[in-house]
Amino acid sequence: MDWQKVLAERNTRMKASEIRELLKLLDQPEIISFAGGIPDPALFPTQAFADAMHATLTGPASGAALQYSVSEGYRPLRDWIAGQMAAIGVPCDADNILITSGSQQALDYLGKLFLDPDDTALVTWPTYMGALGAFNAYQPRYERLDPHSNRPVEALAEAASEAGGRVKFAYLSADFANPTGETLDRAGREALLDMAESLDIAVIEDAAYQVLRYDGAPVAPILALELARKGDLEACRTIYCGSFSKVLSPGLRVGWVVAAKPVIARLVLMKQAADLHSPTLNQIATDHVARAIFPEHVARLRSVYAARRDAMLAALAQHMPEGVRWTRPEGGMFVWLTLPEGMDGAALLAQSLKTEKVAFVPGRAFFADGSNGNTLRLAFSVADEAMIAEGIRRLGRLIGGA
Amino acid sequence: MDWQKVLAERNTRMKASEIRELLKLLDQPEIISFAGGIPDPALFPTQAFADAMHATLTGPASGAALQYSVSEGYRPLRDWIAGQMAAIGVPCDADNILITSGSQQALDYLGKLFLDPDDTALVTWPTYMGALGAFNAYQPRYERLDPHSNRPVEALAEAASEAGGRVKFAYLSADFANPTGETLDRAGREALLDMAESLDIAVIEDAAYQVLRYDGAPVAPILALELARKGDLEACRTIYCGSFSKVLSPGLRVGWVVAAKPVIARLVLMKQAADLHSPTLNQIATDHVARAIFPEHVARLRSVYAARRDAMLAALAQHMPEGVRWTRPEGGMFVWLTLPEGMDGAALLAQSLKTEKVAFVPGRAFFADGSNGNTLRLAFSVADEAMIAEGIRRLGRLIGGA
């Protein structure tokens, strides 16, 4: 059978994620990995999940936990999330919340909700490569999102229209962004909201790392700033995507979306048609574990990851040669490295895996236009301080000798 | 914000599923429900799942169970499925298998893989309404699939081309179909394969109910028949969608797709972009439970559901007035009822909920063209024999008096 004859055109845009392919390398114990943006499994609250699963599956609601459930998501979990959102400036109720299978699914659904072929999505340069992967299926074009630039928005609208579509949304990771580790400041967030108003587009705020702040003052979520302007969540254009993946467990695939009710209602229909609902038991167990240990567990993660970030920044200062620059994140899991002009992150990775046994993600895949090959992403979330020091030492040696 | 301005066109095709809305009625204890096509939660192997979850989360692989994992799915589970497939005439290996979040997700992904707007999908009249829901997001048109008809396929190809697309696939539930309970015989399956060859299209075989056969001789899966013709799975155009939802647990959302490797490879990329992977722990637990109890558990389900089917068929024979027809399924969960011409299933449901407290699904939503309003689907999977007898008695009274 010649499958090309029956494939939809959108498939031409789908290709393997470098990150996912790289994850396969993590099984090799001799590699020091700064590659996957994954939490340290040694920090998972496994006992709390074991207890929650056991209580649920041996209790009176065991049948319900294994049964079909509503597409919106488990109501007690949505209520708990509503409480968390209120604490960061976004009071809302359960009808403003959809449970998704990780925030990756939220990005897929939002692409599906908004993007017709040749529409324009605004993304930062660089941006989360998984967002590009999710959106690509809906065949958009991309324009660079830079809230601090003075570029007039009319030019963006015009270019989008000439390309046969419309600007539909701006997507960004505002806190400790994947891949740069950088946080958009309040002025940038306000400028972004002004820009979204002018263009009359949605804002997708990816908050996957938001609670993982190690120092510095928190910046209000974009959705909180918009709500403060408008006084009513139903009038807001910002769509907030949260996740338990970086804090409790990525393997259970539980994330959420907070938005105005008409958006949630459409996403619920979409989810109904696409996978009915996220797994019932996973939502119940996440609810139990979140209620039991969330603040203490987050405090523990902050302390461990902050020490690893410090170890990485110290090692970079000690071992990187002249001409290499990097970010100094206040949270999250990533440091973003810029190599001297002309060096290539992908070539460096190939060499590094061979001679230094150090893994990272070359930066090119995070740029919608595949530019900036002289960058790379270092995750400090999995290796301990000693391994970080050793890995950065080797990497500095390699870059210095290259 | 005026959301209409930024919504993608595909959203115009998405609407609430009558089944999912009806599920909300099941909470009312005074209703006898023949509505949801859901397994009886009293039959879930909850202890086996509790044991599997406990063993996994307190064992040496607890970290891996809560961590990100590969998009293809958990290898031991894919190996177990490969063994099951071999037993029904489809020897294959793990690379022919993708784990999905229920077979609903497989339908969504296959629609995404194949359908450009205005392409044609062939579906039975009636068909699983969730398949229409999943495919609708990709804006196809539908033509009636009838393997036993003598309609020349050239007409289908021509109509598809005139509509601005191409016939991409035929979708059907071959065994104890949702909603009719009917099984396509071997001659029909062979005719379908001939037709697919002529049109050069894919065949999507939805096997969600396949193991739930209560009597009669098994018919080989369409994929097994095609494999017997061609001798090589890589040459086959049939894509088989399986599910643990009807047998072990729907709430854990674990299903699978079996197909030629190029199809699986594309679906893996799609899943990577859409939700990274199905929950790791759910796949591990399903693997444990399937290996521990699958054959005995299926035997138990067959015995309980067969008795309920028998009770429903006996009650229908006793209580339905002249002019009402129904199917006699050899398995699955459904009997399909055809009311006298001019009666309307939806109006009957409204009346039934009010005066008889009996729920079912009106048939119209299962037809791509919304025709055949004088039909309805009765599920015998949840109510026990006494409730089935009473519910059908009330329904017969209502139809007879209407």
Side-chain angles (χ1 to χ4, degrees), chain A residues 10 20 66 68-69 246 251, chain B residues 20 66 68-69 112 246 251:
Chain A
R10 68 179 66 83
R20 302 297 299 173
L66 296 176
Y68 288 115
S69 56
K246 312 303 179 186
Chain B
R20 303 295 300 173
L66 296 176
Y68 288 115
S69 56
K112 196 173 182 180
K246 311 304 177 186

Side-chain angles (χ1 to χ4, degrees), chain A residues 41 44 46-47 50 249, chain B residues 53-67 281 284:
Chain A
F44 290 152
T46 46
Q47 190 57 52
S249 157
Chain B
M53 295 281 181
H54 185 76
T56 304
L57 288 175
T58 59
S62 62
L66 296 176
Q67 184 60 291
L281 178 62
I284 295 173

Side-chain angles (χ1 to χ4, degrees), chain B residues 376-391:
Chain B
L376 52 94
R377 189 191 77 177
L378 299 171
F380 52 77
S381 50
V382 176
D384 64 23
E385 283 103 304
M387 286 172 75
I388 288 172
E390 173 61 16

